[in-house]
Amino acid sequence: QGQLVESGGGSVQAGGSMKLSCVISNNFLFNRCDLQYYRHPPGKEHPVKERAYVSGISRNGTTTLADSVKDRFTISRDNAKNTLILEMNNLKTDDTAMYYCAVDCGGLEKYWGQGKLVTVNP
């Protein structure tokens, strides 16, 4: 778990922007696996499987976005800094959630960051 360290998050007004970052210190995980963001409504204990997929970037750079965030969110990776970046624009109150970065190496389980709270105020 300590291999994924997230930063960013906080409060923003609807229509605003915010950036989340996730440093993945293990070079194998960063370079050989798919990197993703998930989210879940805040304030609730939950099983990992209930987290909703937000966006992902494969090891070859192919990106995907959930329909709910298309045209608003962008995912990228800074290879020099082993960092996954999620840029969120035109935020809506429905985007309020705990955001988790994840590494998917195709095994039974993913590696997860600690989560960052994003609150979008009306």
CSV table of all heavy atoms in Angstrom, one decimal, residues 11-34:
chain,number,residue,atom,x,y,z
A,11,SER,N,-11.6,21.0,-1.4
A,11,SER,CA,-12.9,21.6,-1.8
A,11,SER,C,-12.8,22.5,-2.9
A,11,SER,O,-11.8,23.3,-3.0
A,11,SER,CB,-13.5,22.3,-0.6
A,11,SER,OG,-13.8,21.4,0.5
A,12,VAL,N,-13.8,22.5,-3.7
A,12,VAL,CA,-13.9,23.4,-4.9
A,12,VAL,C,-15.3,23.7,-5.2
A,12,VAL,O,-16.2,22.9,-4.9
A,12,VAL,CB,-13.2,22.8,-6.1
A,12,VAL,CG1,-13.9,21.5,-6.6
A,12,VAL,CG2,-12.9,23.7,-7.2
A,13,GLN,N,-15.6,24.9,-5.8
A,13,GLN,CA,-16.9,25.2,-6.2
A,13,GLN,C,-17.3,24.5,-7.5
A,13,GLN,O,-16.4,24.2,-8.4
A,13,GLN,CB,-17.0,26.7,-6.5
A,13,GLN,CG,-16.9,27.6,-5.2
A,13,GLN,CD,-17.9,27.3,-4.2
A,13,GLN,OE1,-17.6,26.8,-3.1
A,13,GLN,NE2,-19.2,27.5,-4.5
A,14,ALA,N,-18.5,24.2,-7.7
A,14,ALA,CA,-19.0,23.6,-9.0
A,14,ALA,C,-18.5,24.4,-10.1
A,14,ALA,O,-18.6,25.7,-10.1
A,14,ALA,CB,-20.5,23.5,-8.9
A,15,GLY,N,-18.1,23.7,-11.2
A,15,GLY,CA,-17.5,24.4,-12.3
A,15,GLY,C,-16.0,24.6,-12.3
A,15,GLY,O,-15.4,25.0,-13.3
A,16,GLY,N,-15.5,24.4,-11.1
A,16,GLY,CA,-14.0,24.6,-10.9
A,16,GLY,C,-13.2,23.4,-11.3
A,16,GLY,O,-13.7,22.4,-11.9
A,17,SER,N,-11.9,23.5,-11.1
A,17,SER,CA,-11.0,22.4,-11.5
A,17,SER,C,-10.1,22.0,-10.3
A,17,SER,O,-10.0,22.7,-9.3
A,17,SER,CB,-10.0,22.9,-12.6
A,17,SER,OG,-10.8,23.3,-13.7
A,18,MET,N,-9.6,20.8,-10.5
A,18,MET,CA,-8.7,20.2,-9.4
A,18,MET,C,-7.9,19.1,-10.1
A,18,MET,O,-8.3,18.5,-11.0
A,18,MET,CB,-9.6,19.6,-8.3
A,18,MET,CG,-8.8,19.1,-7.1
A,18,MET,SD,-9.9,18.6,-5.8
A,18,MET,CE,-10.6,20.2,-5.2
A,19,LYS,N,-6.7,18.9,-9.5
A,19,LYS,CA,-5.8,17.9,-10.0
A,19,LYS,C,-5.4,16.9,-8.8
A,19,LYS,O,-5.2,17.4,-7.7
A,19,LYS,CB,-4.5,18.5,-10.5
A,19,LYS,CG,-3.6,17.5,-11.1
A,19,LYS,CD,-2.4,18.2,-11.8
A,19,LYS,CE,-1.3,18.6,-10.9
A,19,LYS,NZ,-0.1,19.1,-11.6
A,20,LEU,N,-5.5,15.7,-9.1
A,20,LEU,CA,-5.0,14.6,-8.2
A,20,LEU,C,-3.8,14.0,-8.8
A,20,LEU,O,-3.6,13.8,-10.0
A,20,LEU,CB,-6.1,13.5,-8.1
A,20,LEU,CG,-7.4,14.0,-7.5
A,20,LEU,CD1,-8.4,12.8,-7.5
A,20,LEU,CD2,-7.3,14.5,-6.1
A,21,SER,N,-2.9,13.7,-7.9
A,21,SER,CA,-1.6,13.0,-8.3
A,21,SER,C,-1.4,11.7,-7.5
A,21,SER,O,-1.8,11.7,-6.3
A,21,SER,CB,-0.4,13.9,-8.1
A,21,SER,OG,-0.5,15.1,-8.9
A,22,CYS,N,-0.7,10.8,-8.0
A,22,CYS,CA,-0.4,9.5,-7.4
A,22,CYS,C,1.0,9.1,-7.7
A,22,CYS,O,1.2,8.8,-8.9
A,22,CYS,CB,-1.5,8.5,-7.8
A,22,CYS,SG,-1.2,6.8,-7.1
A,23,VAL,N,1.9,9.2,-6.8
A,23,VAL,CA,3.2,8.7,-7.0
A,23,VAL,C,3.3,7.2,-6.7
A,23,VAL,O,3.0,6.8,-5.6
A,23,VAL,CB,4.2,9.5,-6.1
A,23,VAL,CG1,5.6,8.9,-6.3
A,23,VAL,CG2,4.2,11.0,-6.4
A,24,ILE,N,3.8,6.5,-7.7
A,24,ILE,CA,4.0,5.1,-7.6
A,24,ILE,C,5.5,4.7,-7.6
A,24,ILE,O,6.2,4.8,-8.6
A,24,ILE,CB,3.3,4.4,-8.8
A,24,ILE,CG1,1.8,4.8,-8.8
A,24,ILE,CG2,3.5,2.9,-8.8
A,24,ILE,CD1,1.1,4.7,-10.1
A,25,SER,N,6.0,4.4,-6.4
A,25,SER,CA,7.4,4.4,-6.2
A,25,SER,C,8.0,3.1,-6.8
A,25,SER,O,9.2,3.1,-7.1
A,25,SER,CB,7.7,4.4,-4.7
A,25,SER,OG,7.1,3.4,-4.0
A,26,ASN,N,7.3,2.1,-7.0
A,26,ASN,CA,7.8,0.8,-7.6
A,26,ASN,C,7.8,0.9,-9.1
A,26,ASN,O,6.8,1.1,-9.7
A,26,ASN,CB,6.9,-0.3,-7.1
A,26,ASN,CG,7.4,-1.7,-7.6
A,26,ASN,OD1,7.4,-1.9,-8.8
A,26,ASN,ND2,7.7,-2.5,-6.6
A,27,ASN,N,9.0,0.9,-9.6
A,27,ASN,CA,9.2,1.1,-11.1
A,27,ASN,C,8.4,0.0,-11.9
A,27,ASN,O,7.9,0.3,-13.0
A,27,ASN,CB,10.6,1.1,-11.4
A,27,ASN,CG,11.3,2.4,-11.1
A,27,ASN,OD1,10.7,3.5,-11.0
A,27,ASN,ND2,12.6,2.3,-10.7
A,28,PHE,N,8.4,-1.2,-11.4
A,28,PHE,CA,7.7,-2.3,-12.1
A,28,PHE,C,6.3,-2.0,-12.2
A,28,PHE,O,5.6,-2.1,-13.3
A,28,PHE,CB,8.0,-3.6,-11.5
A,28,PHE,CG,7.3,-4.7,-12.2
A,28,PHE,CD1,7.8,-5.4,-13.3
A,28,PHE,CD2,6.0,-5.1,-11.8
A,28,PHE,CE1,7.2,-6.4,-13.9
A,28,PHE,CE2,5.3,-6.2,-12.4
A,28,PHE,CZ,5.9,-6.8,-13.5
A,29,LEU,N,5.7,-1.6,-11.1
A,29,LEU,CA,4.2,-1.3,-11.1
A,29,LEU,C,3.9,-0.1,-12.0
A,29,LEU,O,2.9,-0.2,-12.7
A,29,LEU,CB,3.8,-1.0,-9.7
A,29,LEU,CG,3.9,-2.1,-8.6
A,29,LEU,CD1,3.3,-1.6,-7.3
A,29,LEU,CD2,3.1,-3.4,-9.1
A,30,PHE,N,4.8,0.9,-12.0
A,30,PHE,CA,4.5,2.1,-12.8
A,30,PHE,C,4.6,1.8,-14.3
A,30,PHE,O,3.8,2.2,-15.1
A,30,PHE,CB,5.4,3.2,-12.4
A,30,PHE,CG,5.1,4.5,-13.1
A,30,PHE,CD1,4.0,5.3,-12.7
A,30,PHE,CD2,5.8,4.9,-14.2
A,30,PHE,CE1,3.7,6.5,-13.4
A,30,PHE,CE2,5.5,6.0,-14.9
A,30,PHE,CZ,4.5,6.8,-14.5
A,31,ASN,N,5.6,1.1,-14.6
A,31,ASN,CA,5.9,0.9,-16.0
A,31,ASN,C,5.3,-0.3,-16.7
A,31,ASN,O,5.1,-0.3,-17.9
A,31,ASN,CB,7.4,0.8,-16.2
A,31,ASN,CG,8.2,2.1,-15.9
A,31,ASN,OD1,7.8,3.1,-16.4
A,31,ASN,ND2,9.2,2.0,-15.1
A,32,ARG,N,4.9,-1.3,-15.9
A,32,ARG,CA,4.4,-2.6,-16.5
A,32,ARG,C,2.9,-2.8,-16.3
A,32,ARG,O,2.4,-3.8,-16.9
A,32,ARG,CB,5.2,-3.7,-15.9
A,32,ARG,CG,6.7,-3.7,-16.2
A,32,ARG,CD,7.0,-3.9,-17.6
A,32,ARG,NE,8.5,-4.0,-17.8
A,32,ARG,CZ,9.0,-4.3,-19.0
A,32,ARG,NH1,8.3,-4.5,-20.0
A,32,ARG,NH2,10.4,-4.3,-19.1
A,33,CYS,N,2.2,-1.9,-15.6
A,33,CYS,CA,0.9,-2.2,-15.3
A,33,CYS,C,0.0,-1.1,-15.7
A,33,CYS,O,0.4,0.0,-16.0
A,33,CYS,CB,0.7,-2.4,-13.8
A,33,CYS,SG,1.8,-3.7,-13.1
A,34,ASP,N,-1.3,-1.3,-15.7
A,34,ASP,CA,-2.3,-0.3,-16.0
A,34,ASP,C,-2.5,0.6,-14.8
A,34,ASP,O,-2.6,0.0,-13.6
A,34,ASP,CB,-3.6,-0.9,-16.5
A,34,ASP,CG,-3.5,-1.6,-17.8
A,34,ASP,OD1,-2.5,-1.4,-18.5
A,34,ASP,OD2,-4.3,-2.5,-18.1
